[in-house]
Amino acid sequence: MNNDERIVFLLLMMWTMFIYDAKTLSCNYSFNFKEQLMAHCDNRGFISVPRNLNRNIQVLDLSNNLITVIENNTLKNYTKMDILILNSNNISEVHEYGFEGLLSLKILRMENNVINISQLPSRVFRPLDKLMVLEIGRNEQQSAVNGSFVYPDNAFSTLKSLQNLSMDLFDSPEFGDGFKSLQNLTVLKFRRCYLRFGKLSNETFRNFPTKLRELYITRCHHFFHIDKGMLQYFPELKILDLSRSYIHLYQALNILYPYQNKNMSVINFHHISDKSINNDKFPYSIIITKELMRYIRSICIEALDLSATGIVDDEFYSLFSFQYPKCFKTFIISANRLPSTTLEHYMQTIVFITKATNLKTYDMSYLPGQFLQPLYLDVYHPEKFIESQEKQHIFQKSLHIIVNLPPLLEFVRFTHMTVMSASVSFTCKNASLKYFDVSYSVFEQYPNVSHECGKELRYLDVSGLSSTMMFKSISLPELITLKMTHASIDRSIIEGKQWMLGHAPKLKSIDLSFNNLWTLLDTKLFNDKNITHFNLSNNLFRTVPSSVSKLRHIESLDLSNNLITSIDYTIRKWFDEIIVPNQNFSLNLDNNALICSCDTVEFLLWLTKTEVSFVNGNNYTCTMSNNSQVNLIEVTKNINRYFADCKATLWLRIAIVLVSCSFGVSIPLSILYYYRWKLILFSFRKFRRAVERGLHVNYEYDVYISYEERSISWIKNQLLPKAEKEWGLKTFVHDRDLIPGELTSDSKALSIHKSRHIIFIITERFGEYEWGKFEIERAKYEKYTQNLMKIIVILQHVHVNDIPEQLVDISNDVIFINWYEHETEISENQTAWFKLKTLLFLN
């Protein structure tokens, strides 16, 4: 049927429906990808099955309605129907002839209703000779009668063609002889599990056909017993999924005996042991033994999931002792408590990976390990700690482990685990690796990754690994997603190190959140103009970093949880330019320090005009001039009301400037000449403060003075009059400026942080000053974080040996001034005073 014929057919059908029954117009019609005519009657509020739909429909979707009963002969007109969907109604009853006439039906879905499956009429499915898929799970919970729940086998026995059956598993189930008729059944799924007091015995599945290939018993959240021979009737089983059913790993491994030396596609034992199961027979902490592995080790398995099964240790040559490692394509053992404690444990894993040459996915994450240099309590003095005197080594000597990743391996995850006392190298002979995650793992030495491993890599997560110690830069020509959260990139910037792992020309998504970034200098990253999603949230940005404006195809920029107060004109213009008709741009500024004032009015007006989509924009707040918090949307809607006085303020400022200029012109030139140096110094200080404000630096003190008590007289009589009265500097002297009641250490640290320079007055008794070492260490910290400009040391009658060792260690960053006896008098022309003045005023 071509497109024109299809359109004509749909128009005729809709006209016919209009004539016969107007209410059927609430259903829409279309053709699916198989060219089947579909009636979309879902979410329409039907309380019964509509009877006057087009008789040629092949798919009918009646899900999410209010239907309670499937009455007799309701569907008999739809003889061509292949698929009927009745999910998520309120169906509680199906009449005996409810499905009469559906001779072609192949798929019937009736999940999420309140059907009592035990009360289904014996011939209800008799017309459905061709039915291949029946989904009748997620219905009303039923209780066992006389100790067991009997499934209506007479009703199911008529489904000769059934291949896929989904239903609920009730307590103490009993499947009668009628299930023997389902000779074509290959898939059996139990959608909900109500097992609690009963068990699955050797006889439970005896009436099901031996052709069954897939069995799913999932989410049984109450422990129940299973007999060893439960699966003996399914010799051709390929998929066994017991995930999230609390049967315990002991029982799960025990029922695999029928499949020794056979092939299986999937064995899913995810979270089959739970902390709610913990007794002598079934302990929560499991040690894998050769005896436990005797059945599963002999099976050729393509995909095995043993994650979250309570494994805490394994005997040598047990857990990884599979006879057919080449069969594996997926192996998952994450979220256990399995440490690699010895060389043998390490080597078993490596040997397995090496032999599993067809492996594509390997996940060994969330495993605990040893701690680096732990602290112990002293049994004789519990208030003291005992530090490790040497590193804790698992092996007797340092070991280098080389892991040759299988050639077909595509997915590797080693997140949240500890690898101790060994260096690790990953090599890839044939590059197939596409997903590599080593986030939040602890390595004594960070792993080396060969260049071949990066050739096909699409996803890389190195979050939690310090960028200052990251493995060497590699080429990443196919990388699309990079995650580097909590990677201490700020330390790399301070130390001047390159933090990008390598050139990634196809990079589209990058996450640099939680890195304490206050700046983002140009890197190779900004040469990759394909980036579409950039996460810079939870950092310390005060403005939108200008370097991101090079990303011309950006679609999403997350700057939430920063310190941004406004957006300047250049960045606003860039935001508007990158929006094109076929591309939206979303910006997240949630939880920033936005300011609403006369200075930011242009930014607020831009918010009302731009087509940028703001994530959580309705929740943004800004700080007003009176320090109150106001909803940003409310402010933008009423700008004239909030900022009506901005123009008057502008004219007032202009008037003040004009008056000041007139007054300045009237001052005699002689006075200007007389005070020329003070005016120059005053102007320089103002200019410097303006520059510092632009860099978001705010100093409270010009200089912090560190001294011992014998220097007080010289400071009071000579240094302070010169620095404060003549030079106009603001100094911090702890005997005068410390606030009573506050912790001395906190107050001194904060004052050093707020000072532009620091002066240490070193005398022969400075070593006796109890706060000397503390102030030197704080000065070193502030200097290395680029907050403190200069560290000046005045040496007064000091021998070289009297200079503190901490200052000698950083001598390259310290300026020394020798202060001789003839410098004690205050004189502008003396060399030491002039040098000190120059250092304090010039950067």
Side-chain angles (χ1 to χ4, degrees), residues 459-717:
Y459 181 99
L460 176 61
D461 191 346
V462 291
S463 299
L465 277 66
S466 176
S467 60
T468 60
M469 303 175 64
M470 202 74 70
F471 41 74
K472 63 182 181 180
S473 176
I474 59 176
S475 179
L476 303 166
E478 301 295 328
L479 189 68
I480 295 175
T481 302
L482 172 63
K483 296 193 68 174
M484 290 184 68
T485 68
H486 295 97
S488 301
I489 297 177
D490 59 318
R491 302 304 307 171
S492 293
I493 293 176
I494 292 173
E495 296 174 14
K497 295 181 179 180
Q498 175 63 35
W499 54 267
M500 267 297 289
L501 298 179
H503 183 51
K506 295 185 179 180
L507 190 64
K508 289 188 176 182
S509 177
I510 182 167
D511 187 349
L512 302 182
S513 58
F514 295 98
N515 276 292
N516 296 319
L517 293 172
W518 70 96
T519 183
L520 198 60
L521 304 176
D522 284 349
T523 66
K524 293 180 181 179
L525 169 68
F526 299 112
N527 296 325
D528 302 328
K529 298 180 180 179
N530 294 320
I531 293 177
T532 58
H533 296 80
F534 203 175
N535 188 347
L536 291 171
S537 64
N538 295 280
N539 283 294
L540 302 175
F541 290 108
R542 295 178 181 270
T543 60
V544 178
S546 59
S547 49
V548 300
S549 61
K550 295 183 178 181
L551 307 176
R552 306 305 299 179
H553 299 287
I554 190 78
E555 297 177 9
S556 171
L557 178 60
D558 190 347
L559 286 163
S560 60
N561 296 288
N562 278 278
L563 303 174
I564 296 171
T565 57
S566 180
I567 301 177
D568 61 39
Y569 172 76
T570 303
I571 298 297
R572 297 199 304 265
K573 182 180 178 183
W574 170 64
F575 284 156
D576 290 332
E577 288 177 350
I578 62 176
I579 297 178
V580 295
N582 296 324
Q583 176 181 323
N584 295 323
F585 172 66
S586 65
L587 176 64
N588 193 343
L589 293 175
D590 197 12
N591 200 22
N592 272 277
L594 299 176
I595 293 177
C596 291
S597 67
C598 292
D599 295 331
T600 63
V601 168
E602 291 186 1
F603 164 62
L604 300 176
L605 290 172
W606 173 78
L607 293 176
T608 64
K609 301 175 183 178
T610 184
E611 294 184 11
V612 173
S613 175
F614 293 94
V615 179
N616 297 324
N618 293 331
N619 298 326
Y620 295 174
T621 60
C622 65
T623 303
M624 303 295 291
S625 57
N626 59 0
N627 291 326
S628 62
Q629 294 289 319
V630 183
N631 183 273
L632 189 61
I633 298 297
E634 173 66 21
V635 174
T636 56
K637 289 180 178 179
N638 300 278
I639 288 180
N640 292 332
R641 178 166 65 88
Y642 281 99
F643 305 107
D645 60 341
C646 284
K647 292 183 179 180
T649 304
L650 176 62
W651 283 111
L652 180 60
R653 290 178 180 175
I654 294 174
I656 293 173
V657 171
L658 290 175
V659 171
S660 300
C661 291
S662 300
F663 181 74
V665 171
S666 66
I667 297 175
L669 293 177
S670 59
I671 298 178
L672 288 174
Y673 181 77
Y674 182 82
Y675 291 105
R676 66 189 185 280
W677 290 114
K678 288 189 175 182
L679 289 172
I680 290 172
L681 293 176
F682 174 78
S683 300
F684 173 75
R685 288 198 299 270
K686 287 294 185 182
F687 172 78
R688 181 170 60 188
R689 290 187 184 279
V691 172
E692 290 170 351
R693 281 198 300 270
L695 297 174
H696 307 290
V697 178
N698 184 22
Y699 293 111
E700 185 174 343
Y701 304 100
D702 292 296
V703 60
Y704 181 103
I705 302 175
S706 174
Y707 58 92
E708 54 96 12
E709 62 181 0
R710 292 174 180 80
S711 300
I712 293 177
S713 177
W714 181 79
I715 293 172
K716 179 179 179 181
N717 298 325

Side-chain angles (χ1 to χ4, degrees), residues 827-840:
S827 174
E828 188 68 28
N829 296 322
Q830 289 177 315
T831 305
W833 284 109
F834 183 79
K835 183 176 182 180
L836 178 60
K837 178 180 179 180
T838 304
L839 291 173
L840 293 177

Side-chain angles (χ1 to χ4, degrees), residues 429-475:
K429 292 182 179 179
N430 299 312
S432 297
L433 192 62
K434 293 181 173 59
Y435 185 108
F436 191 59
D437 183 355
V438 290
S439 60
Y440 301 103
S441 291
V442 179
F443 301 93
E444 186 174 15
Q445 297 181 23
Y446 283 88
N448 290 321
V449 181
S450 67
H451 286 279
E452 291 78 7
C453 293
K455 288 183 178 179
E456 298 295 328
L457 203 62
R458 306 292 200 275
Y459 181 99
L460 176 61
D461 191 346
V462 291
S463 299
L465 277 66
S466 176
S467 60
T468 60
M469 303 175 64
M470 202 74 70
F471 41 74
K472 63 182 181 180
S473 176
I474 59 176
S475 179

